[in-house]
Amino acid sequence: MRTVKEVSRITGVSVRTLHYYDAIGLLKPTKVTEAGYRMYDDTALSRLQNILLFRELQFPLKEIKVILDSPSFSQEEAIAQQIKLLELQYKHIGELISFAREIQTKGVRTMNFEVFNTNEIEQYKEEVKAKWGHSKAYREYEQRASSQSEHNYDKFADEIMSLFTKLGALKQFPPTDKAVQEKVAVLQSYINENFYTCNNEILKELGEMYVCDERFKKNIDHFGGEGTAEFVRQAISVYCDK
């Protein structure tokens, strides 16, 4: 058995992220001691290894959870799929390196846009996801997304980042403040109306992701100011625990 700090040390995954994985049911500790310490056995570490491989392949956490929790999940088949995806990415990166060297040798006027095509990788990813199934929220998102235009995606991005900007402007108030909580309710309603059914459980998971996922954190802090992602996480936690 290993403590959460030991797992963090040997895997490079932060303690905060491991706590988040526990909170969303992605990686539960094998047991929790009377003192409240999370302990992980080899089975849990094996699952974490799968999580990290799928993360390396750019799978969202929700999809990873669906895959690993699928009754038909096969460790051997998953490894074979992961190897195939890594090989495709290795091939793609090799082609990009060769192209960059060609530009270096022949000059910047060299044109070849085929090397940027990742359709083969994306197609195989879709096959992997189809094999293990999608979460209900993900299926709902895909159904809505199929009817949306590229213009709408830009509009949604602008609008949701505007919500984070407004939340960032309230950082001088405590997360429990009425005005802050009203903005969280607006955020939840916006996700419900435009993406998928966002109940309090899903909203709370999103709040954690806004901090744990560096891409989200960077974007949210860019629009709302430094510390906005953490502030939004705290405000969401208050909202969902009411």
Side-chain angles (χ1 to χ4, degrees):
M1 288 281 197
R2 297 180 185 271
T3 66
V4 68
K5 287 186 178 179
E6 288 173 327
V7 173
S8 176
R9 178 177 55 79
I10 65 175
T11 64
V13 179
S14 70
V15 170
R16 183 188 187 91
T17 298
L18 289 169
H19 286 177
Y20 173 55
Y21 287 175
D22 180 10
I24 65 174
L26 179 60
L27 180 69
K28 289 288 185 183
T30 307
K31 73 172 186 176
V32 179
T33 68
E34 291 183 2
Y37 293 109
R38 294 171 171 84
M39 304 295 293
Y40 299 82
D41 64 7
D42 287 345
T43 300
L45 290 177
S46 177
R47 182 177 172 98
L48 177 57
Q49 184 172 266
N50 260 310
I51 292 168
L52 296 180
L53 273 169
F54 278 118
R55 285 296 284 159
E56 194 67 28
L57 294 166
Q58 304 298 309
F59 278 73
L61 293 179
K62 284 183 177 295
E63 290 179 9
I64 296 173
K65 186 175 186 302
V66 170
I67 290 171
L68 298 184
D69 290 345
S70 170
S72 59
F73 177 74
S74 163
Q75 176 73 44
E76 292 75 17
E77 191 169 355
I79 287 293
Q81 291 170 336
Q82 289 162 348
I83 290 171
K84 174 66 175 177
L85 274 169
L86 288 167
E87 287 174 342
L88 289 172
Q89 290 189 348
Y90 178 76
K91 174 188 171 187
H92 178 63
I93 291 171
E95 291 170 349
L96 287 173
I97 292 172
S98 296
F99 178 57
R101 284 177 176 161
E102 186 179 352
I103 292 176
Q104 188 179 47
T105 304
K106 298 181 179 180
V108 295
R109 292 186 178 275
T110 301
M111 296 291 178
N112 178 8
F113 292 99
E114 290 183 6
V115 296
F116 299 103
N117 191 322
T118 59
N119 285 345
E120 187 178 10
I121 296 173
E122 294 305 317
Q123 182 179 347
Y124 192 75
K125 278 189 178 181
E126 289 304 314
E127 291 175 11
V128 172
K129 288 186 280 189
K131 167 70 180 176
W132 308 112
H134 295 310
S135 67
K136 181 180 177 182
Y138 187 87
R139 288 196 302 271
E140 185 178 351
Y141 168 74
E142 283 195 325
Q143 288 169 356
R144 294 196 190 185
S146 64
S147 63
Q148 300 293 349
S149 67
E150 187 173 339
H151 169 74
N152 281 338
Y153 281 127
D154 293 339
K155 172 176 171 286
F156 291 152
D158 289 342
E159 289 176 348
I160 202 160
M161 285 306 164
S162 174
L163 292 176
F164 289 127
T165 300
K166 291 173 182 176
L167 277 160
L170 298 173
K171 290 199 299 291
Q172 72 270 27
F173 299 108
T176 55
D177 186 85
K178 182 181 178 182
V180 176
Q181 290 298 297
E182 286 175 351
K183 287 290 185 292
V184 173
V186 171
L187 175 64
Q188 185 180 39
S189 295
Y190 187 85
I191 296 170
N192 269 318
E193 292 170 9
N194 296 287
F195 297 102
Y196 48 78
T197 302
C198 183
N199 57 31
N200 283 5
E201 181 182 359
I202 291 176
L203 182 64
K204 195 167 186 178
E205 290 178 8
L206 286 173
E208 294 294 335
M209 185 173 67
Y210 292 157
V211 173
C212 292
D213 191 308
E214 284 301 319
R215 293 166 299 179
F216 277 100
K217 185 176 184 295
K218 182 179 179 180
N219 282 330
I220 292 170
D221 283 356
H222 172 74
F223 282 90
E226 188 70 27
T228 298
E230 174 60 28
F231 178 71
V232 171
R233 183 194 70 80
Q234 293 175 14
I236 287 175
S237 181
V238 170
Y239 178 87
C240 293
D241 289 343
K242 287 190 296 185

